Every structure is written in structure tokens, then in C-alpha cells.
Amino acid sequence: MSTLAAHAPGAAGSGLADVAASEASLRRFLHGLPGVDQVGLEARAATLGTRSIKTTAKAYAIDLAISMIDLTTLEGADTVGKVRSLCTKGRNPDPSDPTAPRVAAICVYPDMVATAKEALRGTDIQVASVATAFPAGRAALPVKLADTVDAVAAGADEIDMVIDRGAFLSGRYLDVFNEITAVKEACRRPDGTSAHLKVIFETGELQTYDNVRRASWLAMLAGADFIKTSTGKVAVNATPPVTLLMLEAVRDFRAATGVQIGVKPAGGIKTTKDAMKYLVMVNETLGDDWLSPHWFRFGASSLLNDLLMQRQKLTTGRYSGPDYVTVD
């Protein structure tokens, strides 16, 4: 069985099993994808962004958005205490209201995975860990694989890897494909289960929408469980048009292979209004199938505070003071 067929069940029957047989065949496939209509894409994203959500639906959407957050701390100054505090917030986002949903995951560096895992014991909150020399990805493959293996061994439920943008932009697509498949294999545990793999493109560095579409298909063909826009560490992170393009890619991939892939916009999503725009986009593009933390996530931290403030406003009719939510 080809690497592709092994990683994407259904690919063999879709005519995609031999796409990654060689650099030439992979290039031919990726460059044969339909070109992106920039004007149409941006107009569609803008139109979806104008849809309003009324009060009852808004309350549901706020809780859904909270449940989709990967609450994240990825700073050089991270401490055990900070990670434990973030886990406490993820478990109980609003101490004054036990009906507030928990977040989907806590995302940390590999050396903080064990701390987060212990702090989240007894919950269904996932521990996600960035790996593969995050955020630049500038390291040799053995280093990236060791980074991944260490995080999984420490208990990571999810791995967020970054692609080699230099290789991708140079047209070395097979190198990127093989690196993703190698990291995917490194996500396997001794019991045969695997940590879920999120593949980060850093879309702000990919230069064109066509490249975003190619990166999306490349990652999915290589076995990504999620495709993710950004690290949050560059000037341009998630945008509605880029996210819409990735949503269309996972829709088309499932139609071609039967395999469903998640999407995670990350970086720059700070307000409830922003989150609502993305949820409308998911609903209009993919339907209910993807309106779940299993298939859609927000890579954000400050977003949670605004969602909690808006949630409290819907409940009480008034905004709370600035000390209502904790500062991350």
C-alpha cells in the first residue's frame, strides 16, 4: 500500500493513491488544482462576515465557540505556575457560573505537557503541544521527530507541527509531504493509538491563495488530522478569506476520499464578533458536520475573555467590570 493510501483511507479508491509517488506526480497534482479566484473568495468571506446571529442563537454560538478554543501559552517565560493557572481557567472558565463550557484543549510547549496533563486529570480537555522546532521549523528532521516523540511520551493528545515553508516555497513538495508523514508516525504511541496531528502552514508566509490551497491538499494527503492557519508568531495570521479557502479544501477532500479533516484558524481572533463570523463561515461552507470541537478549533487565548464577557451580558443584561475575567 502506498504511503498516501495508508494515511488516508479511501484515497486508494479516489484515484489519489499514487499522487505522492514522485516529486513530479505530486507537483503535477498540486499545480493542477483549480486556481483561486481572489476577488470571489474575498467577496464571499466578506459577505459571510455580515451575517447576524440573534440572541438565542448567539448564546448557543458563544458556548460553542468557548468549547472550540485551544487555550494557549507559548512564551519563553512560561512557568509551571502559569501553565497550571491556564489549565484551571480552561477547566472552569467562569468561576461564577458552573454552566460555562470547558475549552477544547490547552496548548503548551513540549516541556510543559506533563504539567498540563496532571492539571487536567479527570477532564476531557486535550493537551496539545507545538513541536517540530515551533514556530520557525528550522531544524533537522531527527530533531523535529525527537521533539514530537518527547511530547507524545509526556502525554500530549495533539501535536501541532509547522511545515518547512522554505521547502514548500522552493517547490520541494515531496520533502514537505515526507516530513509530515514522518511526524505523523512519530505521533504513534506504544499501544497503537496516536496523538492527533495538526499541520500549521503559517499562511501569512505562503504569499498566495493558490499556495494555501496547495498546502492544504498536501497536508491532508500526507495524513494531517487538522490543518491550521498560523503559529500566531508572525504579522499576518488567520484571516477570513484564508480560512474559507481551507474550509473549502477539507470539504472537497472529504468528497474525494471520504476522510474528514479538521480546521483551526489561529492568531488574531480576539472578539466574540470575530468568532461568530468564523462559525457562520463553517456552517455555510461545511454544515453541521464540522460544528464541533472535534473538527473546528480556535487558536486563541484573549478570545475566551471576550466570549465570557458577552456570555455574562446575555445572562444578566449588563457588562461586568474589567476584573470579571482573569488576565492570561
Side-chain angles (χ1 to χ4, degrees):
M1 180 180 291
S2 72
T3 301
L4 174 56
H7 284 276
S14 66
L16 297 178
D18 295 324
V19 165
S22 68
E23 184 75 70
S25 62
L26 186 55
R27 174 184 295 277
R28 186 163 51 248
F29 175 81
L30 295 177
H31 283 264
L33 293 169
V36 178
D37 174 2
Q38 177 176 347
V39 173
L41 177 70
E42 293 176 352
R44 173 69 171 159
T47 298
L48 292 174
T50 64
R51 303 279 175 86
S52 61
I53 299 179
K54 304 305 179 185
T55 303
T56 303
K58 185 176 182 180
Y60 167 77
I62 286 174
D63 279 4
L64 181 61
I66 292 172
S67 75
M68 292 173 162
I69 287 178
D70 283 3
L71 197 57
T72 303
T73 182
L74 297 170
E75 303 297 335
D78 284 345
T79 63
V80 168
K82 182 178 181 181
V83 170
R84 287 176 177 162
S85 178
L86 199 69
C87 291
T88 298
K89 183 170 183 176
R91 293 176 65 132
N92 190 14
D94 184 350
S96 72
D97 185 355
T99 68
R102 292 170 169 169
V103 301
I106 301 294
C107 186
V108 294
Y109 276 115
D111 64 313
M112 290 292 178
V113 166
T115 297
K117 196 71 177 177
E118 176 62 30
L120 295 172
R121 188 180 301 277
T123 76
D124 59 357
I125 299 173
Q126 303 293 286
V127 175
S129 179
V130 295
T132 65
F134 179 93
R138 308 309 305 181
L141 181 58
V143 174
K144 295 180 180 182
L145 296 180
D147 203 23
T148 303
V149 169
D150 286 349
V152 173
D157 302 294
E158 302 172 355
I159 294 294
D160 290 29
M161 72 166 286
V162 290
I163 67 166
D164 183 338
R165 279 88 75 193
F168 180 88
L169 292 170
S170 300
R172 300 192 336 261
Y173 301 130
L174 193 58
D175 286 350
V176 179
F177 179 95
N178 288 337
E179 186 165 282
I180 295 171
T181 60
V183 174
K184 175 82 170 180
E185 184 60 30
C187 288
R188 288 180 62 83
R189 305 184 184 98
D191 65 1
T193 63
S194 292
H196 278 201
L197 179 62
K198 304 194 202 87
V199 178
I200 310 170
F201 303 145
E202 201 69 285
T203 52
E205 295 183 346
L206 293 190
Q207 303 172 358
T208 69
Y209 289 135
D210 285 333
N211 276 340
V212 173
R213 175 171 283 170
R214 290 168 188 148
S216 297
W217 276 86
L218 177 59
M220 293 187 293
L221 291 168
D225 297 299
F226 260 76
I227 53 175
K228 176 178 172 182
T229 62
S230 321
T231 64
K233 300 294 187 181
V234 298
V236 178
N237 293 291
T239 66
V242 158
T243 304
L244 176 57
L245 181 56
M246 292 167 62
L247 293 173
E248 292 174 347
V250 300
R251 176 199 65 197
D252 296 344
F253 187 79
R254 189 175 74 168
T257 68
V259 178
Q260 186 162 336
I261 306 295
V263 178
K264 178 180 173 180
I269 305 170
K270 298 178 182 292
T271 68
T272 299
K273 185 176 181 180
D274 289 338
M276 297 303 102
K277 290 179 180 179
Y278 281 93
L279 291 181
V280 167
M281 194 183 303
V282 173
N283 186 59
E284 292 291 326
T285 308
L286 303 175
D288 291 345
D289 286 359
W290 268 268
L291 282 175
S292 157
H294 294 293
W295 302 110
F296 191 78
R297 298 280 183 85
F298 291 107
S301 291
S302 58
L303 171 62
L304 178 58
N305 285 349
D306 194 71
L307 288 166
L308 292 172
M309 296 284 281
Q310 294 296 329
R311 190 177 191 275
Q312 196 263 356
K313 170 67 164 54
L314 288 178
T315 302
T316 67
R318 66 180 186 279
Y319 286 107
S320 296
D323 58 348
Y324 175 69
V325 293
T326 58
V327 177
D328 298 327

